[in-house]
Amino acid sequence: MLSKKAANLITLRERNINVPPFVVVSYDEVMKAGGVEKYHFKNPFLENAEGEYYAVRSACSLEDNKDASFAGQFDTYLNVAWNDIDAMITKCYKSLTNDCVKSYLKSKKISASNIKMDVIVQKMVDADFAGVIFTANPQGILNETVISVSRGLGEGVVADKADSVTYYYNLTDKIYYSEGKENLLSYDFVTRLIDITSQIKDIFGDYLDIEFAIKDGEIYILQTRDITTVKGEKPLIFDNSNIVESYPGLSLPLTESFVDVVYSGVFRGVCNRILKDDRELSKFEENVNNMVGHVNGRVYYKISNWYALLKSLPFNSFIIPVWQEMLGVKNKSYDKSYVRQSLLVRARIYRNIFSELRKVPQQMEALAAEFEKINKSFYEKDIDNLSSKELKAIYEDLKIKLLDIWDITLLNDLYAFVYTGLLKKRLKRKYKKNDDSVNAYISGISNIESLKPIKEMIALAMNKSWMEPSQYEMAKQAYISEYGDRNLEELKLESKTFRTNPELLDKRIDEYREDLDKLSEVYQDMNGKKQGAETEKFDEYTTKLIRRCTLGIVNREASRLNRTRIFGIVRTIFLLIGKNFADRGIIESQRDIFYLTIDEIWDLVERNSDTSSEECDTEKNLTRNAGNTETSADIKYLIHNRKEDYKFFEKLPAYTRIIFEGKEFDKKCARVSLHKNSFDGKKLQGVPCSNGVVTGEALVVTDVNARQDVKDKILITAMTDPGWVFLLATAKGVIAQKGSILSHTAIISRELGIPSIVGVDNVLSAIHSGDMITMNGNTGEIQILKEVKDVAS
């Protein structure tokens, strides 16, 4: 029986994979000749090839096994002349008995009598480039292929003797980055290698180590074996579907830690409502505590834990596909196993979930009323003169009050999702309408909360002309008091808002006033009567579905605005603590607070307790904290290192899905070059969310805080967050790579009356600023009419 390495090469050749000519000198063949000392290599396939050079590779019978890889234990020889092949075969055999192998056999408790040696004699490829492909990152990322390549022969990569370049290719997004001094492989070669590895995976399985060579543009596969360190048995899936709308780009450590607090608290509350049983809740404790995760400075759902909870719900076979569609989850596969529950428990869950869903509208009203009290109470305090310890107490009180009731917002999301799903089915079955027709019946919500900030801002901009400066300042402060926390990337605590930086509001108003005619037109459109579901007659059941679906959306947007205000309160608390810390020399500057986690901040508050911020500058206070200089230096060093980490994270692509084997980890690289995937076509397809067909100039928005003229342009972006309403107001349309029909992009564009399409793969590489495009918000089709390559791309 041939060794696995030899058998794999034969299989590759039979399956038409490009393998250099080779023969296998089997153990049985050598033994039949009387042993390796008597064996003479003679094979008609290679006999007339004198002057050529060969690779002589060991191929042990136990090599590359999961439990015993024998990595680096046996000899391989390259550039072997014809007359030296016998000698190299002998050396390969003798490596069976070297001291390292003996020691390895002993450590693995393997008898030497069980090990046999085949030898592969393969024609050398005088490679221009050569290297190794790991179909999964051996560090433990299952959907990331790693290609390490150098000039010349591949032994330089394996032995770390040559400058190599490593390419990290995400199989979900089909984008990659490289680490190295130069870019050795073109996009075409990288994708060709990925295609070949896909073919080889179909033959041998998912987790492989493949050696390759490239000569004169031709790719050769030299050998393949299993990655013995990767098993893929319990994948940990990070997915940014929907959550990227709230946390686009990088999120700093303080935001990440607060997101953990919010999600675990809210989901624990929902589970309590549905299970009403501490013993049953304990079965989901690990899931509840890990609903979100953070990798490379970005926020993700730990989506497996979401499925674990969803699978416990009644009619989950209906709910899960609806949930996937509403959140824009592209990969629909998931583990169908579930936590075992008795029939009595499942019956109780069914009863509780239906009871809670019926109460959702009333409880959302109660939540809004309670929040108004909390918000008013906070801003009535003299917060600027509170100590860090007092601010911590306010935060803890806020957390208790809100987390006890905020979980109802998740049930309202489920309410909106389920009724939207039911409405789509009803329209399709009874009225023969397509799936996208639902957009027309869940728009025209005149009192939607998300539009109020933009309506008031436009009114303020229009009225500024006749206002006295004092009147304008009063109106501006009133606006900030009501809507000051709403801005771009508003759920990241480190984001600057109108409340923290009022000059941003002045800037936005001045931008709006550059075209008062357009502004007036937008204002009239937003306040005019919209045509919604009332224009068409439906039966009573369908009408009821539309009303409940619309109610869920209205409440969802209202809770989102209040959520923005909650984050505004928390942002204010930590900025004040940051000021206290900076005044006392604990950190360099106020905004450095965002590079610490909540637990780290509370630890510092306890160890550097002050009684009030008024005492911070007193000699007594400075003396009291003199003993904390070492702690302060440590904290400053920690913050410095995290800033350096985030400079690197900023260079990494924002993958939509990362699948870990085991625990997640951040990437660490010396240098990074990002490579965008190419697009060779003129048409794209996405999910239509707001009707209308428009043609216009595309504007790719990657930095939402940069000054950009969006007027009458079609915005192209990875995603939007609620603060984007200020940009969308004057745009002609919006196309997003992420999203669903209930994403913020979809809801606001419908209310603004501009077409929108979401879930468009490759949109950021296919369309460039300046391109002329046509988008069809009725069908989701996008056509590139004229390309004007963006110089910055």
Side-chain angles (χ1 to χ4, degrees):
M1 183 176 178
L2 289 178
S3 65
K4 194 170 185 178
K5 186 184 292 186
N8 283 355
L9 268 182
I10 292 171
T11 301
L12 288 174
R13 183 169 60 189
E14 290 173 347
R15 297 289 288 269
N16 296 318
I17 301 296
N18 193 21
V19 178
F22 71 92
V23 293
V24 177
V25 178
S26 70
Y27 174 83
D28 291 341
E29 184 181 345
V30 171
M31 291 303 104
K32 187 176 179 181
V36 69
E37 300 294 345
K38 296 183 179 180
Y39 177 78
H40 175 63
F41 179 75
K42 186 178 182 180
N43 190 293
F45 183 63
L46 296 173
E47 192 169 7
N48 297 322
E50 292 189 33
E52 299 284 353
Y53 289 89
Y54 305 91
V56 180
R57 305 178 186 275
S58 60
C60 171
S61 59
L62 298 182
E63 199 173 354
D64 302 327
N65 285 331
K66 294 286 186 184
D67 299 323
S69 69
F70 287 89
Q73 302 290 329
F74 305 113
D75 293 337
T76 287
Y77 301 93
L78 304 180
N79 285 319
V80 177
W82 174 264
N83 294 332
D84 295 329
I85 290 178
D86 279 341
M88 297 303 107
I89 292 174
T90 299
K91 284 188 175 184
C92 286
Y93 266 83
K94 286 185 175 180
S95 66
L96 275 174
T97 57
N98 67 40
D99 291 339
C100 290
V101 172
K102 288 177 182 179
S103 177
Y104 191 83
L105 289 171
K106 185 177 180 180
S107 69
K108 294 293 183 179
K109 297 180 180 179
I110 299 173
S111 171
S113 63
N114 292 331
I115 190 167
K116 299 178 181 180
M117 178 66 77
D118 296 329
V119 176
I120 299 167
V121 180
Q122 188 174 51
K123 185 178 178 181
M124 279 293 301
V125 176
D126 185 19
D128 300 318
F129 306 98
V132 180
I133 303 168
F134 297 99
T135 58
N137 188 324
Q139 287 182 282
I141 303 179
L142 302 180
N143 68 328
E144 181 175 76
T145 291
V146 180
I147 304 171
S148 191
V149 62
S150 67
R151 297 183 186 278
L153 303 180
E155 80 269 23
V157 171
V158 177
D160 291 328
K161 293 179 180 178
D163 287 335
S164 62
V165 180
T166 301
Y167 298 83
Y168 299 89
Y169 187 100
N170 183 282
L171 296 167
T172 302
D173 296 311
K174 297 180 173 54
I175 57 176
Y176 66 96
Y177 70 94
S178 64
E179 178 190 11
K181 292 182 179 179
E182 56 182 330
N183 181 24
L184 296 182
L185 298 181
S186 66
Y187 178 86
D188 178 62
F189 270 117
V190 171
T191 53
R192 283 171 62 189
L193 286 169
I194 293 296
D195 288 343
I196 291 171
T197 58
S198 178
Q199 297 173 45
I200 298 174
K201 283 163 64 177
D202 288 341
I203 301 170
F204 298 119
D206 286 333
Y207 309 124
L208 303 172
D209 169 348
I210 303 168
E211 291 185 21
F212 70 94
I214 300 174
K215 176 64 176 175
D216 296 333
E218 190 170 359
I219 297 172
Y220 298 87
I221 300 302
L222 307 180
Q223 63 177 342
T224 183
R225 52 184 171 259
D226 293 336
I227 303 175
T228 56
T229 58
V230 176
K231 296 179 175 60
E233 294 171 350
K234 292 185 178 179
L236 176 60
I237 302 173
F238 278 56
D239 191 294
N240 73 357
S241 299
N242 182 256
I243 200 169
V244 72
E245 184 177 301
S246 299
Y247 302 98
L250 300 179
S251 296
L252 297 186
L254 181 54
T255 293
E256 291 182 343
S257 61
F258 185 58
V259 170
D260 287 341
V261 169
V262 170
Y263 272 82
S264 61
V266 167
F267 273 89
R268 183 171 287 102
V270 168
C271 289
N272 274 325
R273 285 180 188 266
I274 294 173
L275 297 172
K276 301 186 190 300
D277 185 321
D278 289 342
R279 186 173 60 181
E280 289 299 320
L281 177 60
S282 67
K283 296 179 181 179
F284 294 97
E285 191 67 23
E286 185 176 351
N287 305 111
V288 168
N289 289 334
N290 292 280
M291 301 306 295
V292 292
H294 320 289
V295 179
N296 303 329
R298 294 176 171 87
V299 180
Y300 289 86
Y301 290 141
K302 289 187 177 180
I303 204 162
S304 300
N305 293 324
W306 286 70
Y307 283 120
L309 298 183
L310 289 168
K311 286 183 291 187
S312 69
L313 297 179
F315 307 110
N316 59 68
S317 60
F318 165 73
I319 289 174
I320 288 176
V322 169
W323 173 81
Q324 290 173 328
E325 182 181 359
M326 299 307 157
L327 264 67
V329 178
K330 291 290 182 76
N331 190 324
K332 303 294 196 295
S333 61
Y334 64 94
D335 179 12
K336 300 297 194 298
S337 63
Y338 58 91
V339 175
R340 293 191 176 278
Q341 296 164 324
S342 68
L343 289 175
L344 180 62
V345 169
R346 291 195 71 78
R348 189 163 63 240
I349 290 173
Y350 278 44
R351 180 195 66 198
N352 293 341
I353 188 68
F354 285 123
S355 173
E356 293 293 338
L357 283 175
R358 281 198 298 272
K359 295 185 289 185
V360 161
Q362 295 81 8
Q363 291 185 348
M364 287 295 290
E365 288 183 14
L367 171 65
E370 180 64 21
F371 174 76
E372 286 300 323
K373 294 179 186 176
I374 293 171
N375 194 54
K376 183 179 179 183
S377 173
F378 176 77
Y379 288 110
E380 285 177 344
K381 293 181 173 66
D382 185 16
I383 54 177
D384 291 336
N385 292 309
L386 295 178
S387 70
S388 297
K389 206 161 190 177
E390 290 168 331
L391 289 165
K392 179 190 175 188
I394 292 174
Y395 169 88
E396 295 294 349
D397 182 59
L398 175 72
K399 186 174 76 169
I400 292 169
K401 287 180 178 177
L402 283 175
L403 291 184
D404 280 347
I405 56 177
W406 199 257
D407 57 281
I408 192 61
T409 60
L410 269 185
L411 286 179
N412 182 74
D413 284 352
L414 182 62
Y415 182 98
F417 291 174
V418 168
Y419 278 112
T420 302
L422 291 172
L423 177 59
K424 289 181 73 170
K425 284 195 170 186
R426 181 71 173 178
L427 292 172
K428 187 174 184 177
R429 290 179 180 176
K430 184 170 179 63
Y431 297 97
K432 310 303 179 189
K433 294 182 178 291
N434 61 40
D435 286 344
D436 305 320
S437 64
V438 71
N439 295 329
Y441 307 109
I442 57 176
S443 61
I445 307 169
S446 60
N447 64 338
I448 194 166
E449 288 292 329
S450 295
L451 286 185
K452 290 181 180 178
I454 185 63
K455 287 181 180 179
E456 294 299 322
M457 182 182 288
I458 290 175
L460 184 59
M462 292 172 63
N463 294 335
K464 185 180 179 182
S465 301
W466 56 264
M467 284 183 173
E468 295 290 335
S470 59
Q471 288 180 302
Y472 172 73
E473 282 301 316
M474 288 179 60
K476 188 176 80 170
Q477 290 306 316
Y479 182 90
I480 290 173
S481 177
E482 188 71 17
Y483 303 115
D485 303 306
R486 171 132 288 183
N487 204 355
L488 301 167
E489 302 186 353
E490 59 196 22
L491 296 188
K492 295 197 280 191
L493 297 178
E494 63 271 16
S495 292
K496 295 179 180 180
T497 64
F498 300 141
R499 188 183 300 278
T500 63
N501 296 76
E503 68 275 8
L504 295 177
L505 180 57
D506 292 322
K507 179 182 176 183
R508 183 72 65 185
I509 287 174
D510 288 343
E511 288 172 2
Y512 280 3
R513 287 180 53 78
E514 289 176 0
D515 191 338
L516 288 175
D517 290 339
K518 175 67 177 179
L519 197 66
S520 177
E521 180 185 328
V522 170
Y523 186 76
Q524 291 174 11
D525 287 344
M526 292 176 67
N527 288 278
K529 182 176 177 59
K530 294 182 183 293
Q531 297 299 313
E534 302 301 326
T535 59
E536 190 167 348
K537 295 294 183 181
F538 293 111
D539 63 18
E540 184 178 351
Y541 176 67
T542 307
T543 302
K544 185 183 292 184
L545 288 179
I546 292 172
R547 287 173 181 168
R548 289 185 177 175
C549 180
T550 302
L551 179 60
I553 294 171
V554 168
N555 285 334
R556 190 167 187 245
E557 290 303 302
S559 70
R560 282 180 164 188
L561 185 55
N562 281 336
R563 179 184 63 180
T564 298
R565 290 166 173 153
I566 292 169
F567 276 70
I569 291 174
V570 173
R571 180 183 293 110
T572 299
I573 288 172
F574 283 110
L575 277 171
L576 289 171
I577 293 174
K579 183 178 183 302
N580 291 344
F581 283 4
D583 287 345
R584 301 171 69 177
I586 298 170
I587 58 179
E588 291 287 353
S589 66
Q590 179 185 26
R591 292 186 62 82
D592 280 355
I593 196 76
F594 297 119
Y595 287 91
L596 299 174
T597 67
I598 291 176
D599 286 343
E600 290 167 346
I601 292 168
W602 293 157
D603 183 57
L604 285 170
V605 168
E606 294 304 319
R607 286 192 285 137
N608 297 272
S609 178
D610 56 359
T611 55
S612 74
S613 59
E614 293 175 352
E615 293 185 16
C616 287
D617 296 326
T618 66
E619 183 178 345
K620 174 183 174 182
N621 210 37
L622 292 171
T623 302
R624 184 177 64 194
N625 287 299
N628 287 326
T629 54
E630 184 178 350
T631 299
S632 176
D634 291 342
I635 291 299
K636 290 175 181 177
Y637 183 68
L638 174 67
I639 290 171
H640 169 77
N641 286 342
R642 285 182 178 167
K643 287 181 178 179
E644 292 301 308
D645 287 342
Y646 271 78
K647 287 179 184 177
F648 165 68
F649 294 155
E650 193 171 9
K651 298 176 183 177
L652 292 176
Y655 293 141
T656 62
R657 177 168 283 214
I658 307 175
I659 305 176
F660 292 96
E661 180 177 58
K663 177 131 181 87
E664 68 272 19
F665 58 87
D666 290 332
K667 284 295 192 72
K668 302 287 184 182
C669 293
R671 59 177 64 85
V672 171
S673 298
L674 180 61
H675 305 272
K676 294 184 178 181
N677 49 347
S678 64
F679 173 77
D680 53 354
K682 296 294 183 182
K683 290 185 178 180
L684 294 163
Q685 179 67 45
V687 178
C689 292
S690 180
N691 293 345
V693 181
V694 294
T695 297
E697 180 183 337
L699 176 65
V700 178
V701 180
T702 54
D703 180 4
V704 294
N705 294 302
R707 174 69 190 273
Q708 297 169 97
D709 179 14
V710 303
K711 179 191 169 189
D712 290 335
K713 293 179 182 175
I714 299 174
L715 305 189
I716 312 296
T717 180
M719 79 297 294
T720 72
D721 66 28
W724 271 63
V725 66
F726 302 112
L727 291 180
L728 296 179
T730 57
K732 205 169 191 178
V734 59
I735 301 170
Q737 185 171 297
K738 306 286 289 185
S740 69
I741 65 168
L742 287 189
S743 64
H744 195 82
T745 307
I747 292 170
I748 296 303
S749 60
R750 282 196 292 267
E751 299 312 310
L752 291 173
I754 64 172
S756 65
I757 303 172
V758 302
V760 185
D761 292 333
N762 299 318
V763 68
L764 293 179
S765 58
I767 299 177
H768 304 81
S769 290
D771 288 354
M772 291 300 296
I773 64 173
T774 294
M775 62 175 295
N776 188 327
N778 308 314
T779 65
E781 295 175 343
I782 303 157
Q783 187 169 6
I784 303 171
L785 304 177
K786 183 180 179 183
E787 292 185 89
V788 181
K789 294 294 184 182
D790 194 308
V791 175
S793 68

